[in-house]
């Protein structure tokens, strides 16, 4: 319709900086791409083309805010191809509209996790005694060969819950979900497109070409 749409690709694992091993997406680079699209007077709308299982907490909140701020200036839609989960959904939820590409598209995985390995029993079994010198009970937490204490476990769980609070706030704001609706989707699991729509996580199922046309006609309210 004579409109120019900027398509910003968000694919693979999301991380703040690009991996030296290739693959994935830098959230810093996506923020730059969004800012460029906002600044370009010939661009009337921004489409986030997403296919990602999620990624690191670092950088995700900033990218989500970037999407939210861009939406104050130009229409921003998100189109999820095969998967828009965890950090990727956090970002997508801040767009004005979110669409899945097909009925089998996986959406959601609203949750945060941290995994550490306690190798202290292995070290002991092999006759290795690890001496850990630190200035506090949490310093050097998770150092190989040292046990993870109850105090450290409680601390880590608190940190994960605090990070999740920010994720929850963003989804509630972006998708206008109440406490009950959020609790229903805050399982850490993904939902196929139809379920995701019924639960308020997406606005519908549309092919990329259809979403582009809808975005070209969109106006800020």
């Amino acid at each position: 319709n004579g409109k120019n749409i900027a398509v910003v690709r968000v694919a693979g694992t999301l991380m703040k900086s690009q991996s030296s091993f290739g693959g994935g997406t830098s959230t810093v680079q996506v923020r730059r791409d969004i800012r460029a699209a906002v600044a370009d007077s010939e661009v009337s709308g921004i489409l986030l083309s997403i296919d990602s299982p999620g990624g690191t907490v670092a950088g995700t909140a900033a990218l989500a805010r970037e999407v939210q701020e861009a939406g104050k200036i130009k229409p921003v839609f998100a189109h999820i191809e095969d998967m828009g989960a965890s950090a990727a959904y956090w970002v997508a939820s801040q767009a004005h509209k979110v669409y899945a590409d097909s009925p089998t598209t996986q959406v959601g995985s609203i949750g945060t996790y941290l995994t550490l390995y306690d190798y202290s029993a292995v070290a002991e079994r092999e006759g290795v005694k690890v001496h850990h010198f630190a200035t506090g009970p949490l310093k050097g937490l998770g150092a190989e060969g040292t046990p993870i204490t109850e105090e450290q476990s409680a601390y880590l769980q608190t940190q994960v819950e605090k990070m999740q609070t920010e994720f929850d706030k963003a989804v509630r704001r972006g998708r206008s979900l109440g406490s009950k609706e959020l609790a229903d989707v805050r399982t850490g699991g993904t939902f196929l497109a139809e379920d995701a729509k019924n639960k308020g996580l997406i606005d519908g199922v549309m092919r990329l070409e259809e979403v582009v046309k809808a975005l070209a006609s969109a106006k800020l309210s």
Side-chain angles (χ1 to χ4, degrees):
N1 299 330
K3 301 288 184 68
N4 291 317
I5 302 299
V7 179
V8 179
R9 185 72 170 154
V10 182
T13 302
L14 304 185
M15 62 202 86
K16 195 166 185 179
S17 299
Q18 190 73 42
S19 170
S20 58
F21 298 102
T25 296
S26 163
T27 55
V28 172
Q29 184 58 52
V30 175
R31 289 176 64 193
R32 291 185 184 129
D33 293 341
I34 291 173
R35 288 182 185 180
V38 169
D40 191 337
S41 60
E42 295 187 358
V43 169
S44 63
I46 302 170
L47 176 65
L48 303 177
S49 177
I50 297 172
D51 193 0
S52 167
T56 62
V57 172
T60 298
L63 176 53
R65 285 195 300 271
E66 196 76 51
V67 173
Q68 184 187 19
E69 289 301 312
K72 296 176 181 178
I73 302 171
K74 295 180 180 182
V76 180
F77 284 12
H79 177 263
I80 301 172
E81 192 173 340
D82 293 316
M83 177 175 283
S86 198
Y89 183 73
W90 184 341
V91 173
S93 69
Q94 302 309 291
H96 293 117
K97 297 286 184 180
V98 183
Y99 295 100
D101 184 70
S102 74
T104 58
T105 298
Q106 297 180 69
V107 179
S109 189
I110 299 172
T112 305
Y113 75 93
L114 169 68
T115 302
L116 287 181
Y117 297 92
D118 185 338
Y119 291 105
S120 58
V122 176
E124 184 177 355
R125 186 168 62 248
E126 294 181 353
V128 178
K129 188 169 182 60
V130 178
H131 298 277
H132 184 65
F133 305 98
T135 55
L138 302 176
K139 190 64 178 177
L141 189 162
E144 188 170 349
T146 63
I148 297 175
T149 67
E150 290 185 8
E151 180 182 6
Q152 292 171 342
S153 294
Y155 166 77
L156 291 173
Q157 185 61 44
T158 298
Q159 293 294 92
V160 169
E161 293 292 345
K162 286 181 178 178
M163 292 176 187
Q164 181 59 36
T165 296
E166 296 305 311
F167 194 168
D168 292 344
K169 285 180 184 176
V171 173
R172 285 194 63 176
R173 178 181 61 243
R175 298 302 303 171
S176 301
L177 299 182
S179 299
K180 184 178 180 181
E181 288 81 8
L182 178 64
D184 186 41
V185 296
R186 193 183 181 270
T187 64
T190 58
F191 304 93
L192 295 183
E194 193 60 34
D195 284 340
K197 180 182 177 182
N198 292 337
K199 293 177 183 296
L201 296 180
I202 64 174
D203 297 286
V205 180
M206 292 174 64
R207 302 293 295 174
L208 179 63
E209 296 79 5
E210 296 173 303
V211 176
V212 170
K213 289 179 181 179
L215 181 53
S217 302
K219 292 182 174 60
L220 293 179
S221 57

